[in-house]
Amino acid sequence: MTRIERLLLNFYENPENKKYLIFPFSCQNTISQNKFIKQVVSLIKKDVLDAFHKDTKGKLFSIDSSNSGITFTDDTYRALCNKKSIYTAQNLNEWIKYIEKIN
């Protein structure tokens, strides 16, 4: 069982949430939703960042001790700044494709 599956199971095993078991997540009270979302985001962020950091052998960025953010290495920062116009154009193109797709 994945950690996210365990979070879901814990969410619905909580007596406070059991009454909502047959209803969609959107019917849960806001406090329960926000708590669950925060836990999932934390798990995903940690897993993804840790895996990417490990895959790149820490050459691109470092993860701060509280795991709440990253710091790019000087070389990574310079490379990103040098290619900023390319990344900006690509990002804009992807947004245009997305907007066209949903309309």
Side-chain angles (χ1 to χ4, degrees), residues 1 3 8 12 14 18 25 30 35 44 48 53 61-62 65 69-70 73 75-76 86 101:
M1 181 179 295
R3 291 192 291 174
L8 274 170
Y12 283 113
N14 179 335
K18 272 200 186 228
F25 184 74
T30 305
K35 182 179 176 184
I44 292 171
V48 170
H53 187 260
F61 63 92
S62 60
S65 58
I70 63 172
T73 63
D75 289 340
T76 302
I86 293 170
K101 183 180 174 181

Side-chain angles (χ1 to χ4, degrees), residues 43-53:
L43 275 178
I44 292 171
K45 183 170 66 170
K46 181 176 179 357
D47 289 351
V48 170
L49 280 178
D50 286 349
F52 189 59
H53 187 260

Side-chain angles (χ1 to χ4, degrees), residues 22-93:
I22 60 171
F23 298 107
F25 184 74
S26 60
C27 292
Q28 308 297 324
N29 68 58
T30 305
I31 294 170
S32 294
Q33 283 181 353
N34 290 339
K35 182 179 176 184
F36 180 75
I37 290 168
K38 189 175 182 178
Q39 290 172 329
V40 170
V41 167
S42 177
L43 275 178
I44 292 171
K45 183 170 66 170
K46 181 176 179 357
D47 289 351
V48 170
L49 280 178
D50 286 349
F52 189 59
H53 187 260
K54 183 179 178 183
D55 288 349
T56 60
K57 298 178 175 67
K59 293 180 181 178
L60 300 178
F61 63 92
S62 60
I63 302 173
D64 70 24
S65 58
S66 67
N67 214 11
S68 62
I70 63 172
T71 302
F72 290 120
T73 63
D74 290 340
D75 289 340
T76 302
Y77 181 74
R78 276 193 295 278
L80 290 171
C81 289
N82 288 338
K83 305 288 185 186
K84 180 179 178 182
S85 62
I86 293 170
Y87 298 134
T88 302
Q90 183 62 39
N91 187 31
L92 181 59
N93 286 337

Side-chain angles (χ1 to χ4, degrees), residues 1-18 35-36 39 43:
M1 181 179 295
T2 68
R3 291 192 291 174
I4 292 179
E5 288 171 325
R6 281 191 295 255
L7 275 177
L8 274 170
L9 186 60
N10 290 339
F11 178 82
Y12 283 113
E13 284 182 345
N14 179 335
E16 182 180 307
N17 300 324
K18 272 200 186 228
K35 182 179 176 184
F36 180 75
Q39 290 172 329
L43 275 178

